[in-house]
């Protein structure tokens, strides 16, 4: 069924593509953060283990919100590992990192999400879509704050 909400099809398509990429990035970062939660070791274990849990819990909620926005725009949300792998700009966790390496890697992931969200937010496609713009602004806020906190951990 077609959508008639005042957003032209070209803008709708571009917004869905941008949100799909943001979803893939968010899900990939969720997986990476959960992995690090399970596998962190060292003197900062307790604080990092708890912080990573807070981060992956927030990301789990975010992927649902982003996917539901894609659905509200009339498209199917990507939802497989292969779809996410084709859409994400975040690399999977490879080798086992130490705690500092994990923090640096997650910092890079959050900054990647900031850049992706900002690119979509600044797109002309969002001119008639305040709801998607609001979602992107909220994601920017979360990822910029998280990146700041991760940078502070690194000194």
């Amino acid at each position: 069924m077609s959508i008639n909400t005042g957003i032209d099809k070209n803008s709708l398509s571009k917004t869905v593509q941008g949100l799909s990429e943001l979803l893939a990035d968010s899900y990939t970062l969720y997986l990476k953060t959960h992995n690090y939660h399970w596998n962190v070791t060292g003197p900062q274990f307790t604080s990092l283990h708890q912080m990573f849990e807070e981060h992956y819990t927030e990301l789990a909620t975010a992927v649902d919100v982003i996917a539901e926005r894609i659905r509200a725009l009339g498209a199917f949300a990507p939802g497989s590992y292969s779809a996410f792998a084709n859409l994400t700009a975040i690399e999977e966790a490879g080798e086992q990192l130490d705690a500092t390496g994990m923090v640096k890697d997650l910092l890079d992931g959050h900054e990647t999400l900031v850049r992706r969200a900002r690119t979509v937010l600044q797109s002309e496609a969002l001119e008639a879509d305040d709801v998607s713009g609001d979602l992107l602004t909220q994601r920017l806020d979360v990822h910029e704050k998280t990146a700041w906190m991760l940078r502070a951990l690194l000194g």
Side-chain angles (χ1 to χ4, degrees):
M1 181 175 267
S2 66
I3 299 234
N4 185 11
T5 59
I7 303 172
D8 68 80
K9 288 183 182 193
N10 186 44
S11 293
L12 198 60
S13 176
K14 288 179 181 178
T15 300
V16 165
Q17 179 64 31
L19 289 174
S20 294
E21 292 168 354
L22 186 74
L23 175 61
D25 288 342
S26 298
Y27 196 83
T28 303
L29 187 58
Y30 161 82
L31 286 174
K32 185 181 284 196
T33 306
H34 213 150
N35 172 20
Y36 293 166
H37 165 78
W38 292 327
N39 292 302
V40 67
T41 60
Q44 292 181 298
F45 169 79
T46 300
S47 61
L48 289 177
H49 183 75
Q50 290 171 349
M51 183 184 70
F52 294 162
E53 183 174 4
E54 291 170 15
H55 291 181
Y56 78 70
T57 300
E58 193 284 328
L59 284 161
T61 300
V63 296
D64 195 52
V65 170
I66 298 164
E68 288 178 356
R69 182 62 191 152
I70 293 168
R71 293 296 296 135
L73 293 172
F76 285 99
S80 68
Y81 291 122
S82 61
F84 290 150
N86 288 325
L87 291 166
T88 189
I90 296 176
E91 292 187 28
E92 269 191 289
E95 63 188 75
Q96 185 62 36
L97 301 173
D98 65 9
T100 300
M102 291 175 178
V103 172
K104 287 178 181 178
D105 195 34
L106 293 176
L107 171 59
D108 182 58
H110 284 279
E111 288 180 338
T112 297
L113 272 159
V114 167
R115 290 189 304 273
R116 178 87 81 173
R118 185 166 280 118
T119 298
V120 179
L121 186 60
Q122 293 171 347
S123 165
E124 291 177 13
L126 284 182
E127 286 180 11
D129 188 355
D130 293 334
V131 176
S132 294
D134 184 52
L135 183 153
L136 289 158
T137 300
Q138 290 176 39
R139 298 312 309 152
L140 272 170
D141 182 46
V142 168
H143 294 295
E144 285 180 339
K145 183 176 182 180
T146 303
W148 158 58
M149 292 182 175
L150 293 169
R151 274 192 301 277
L153 274 173
L154 296 169

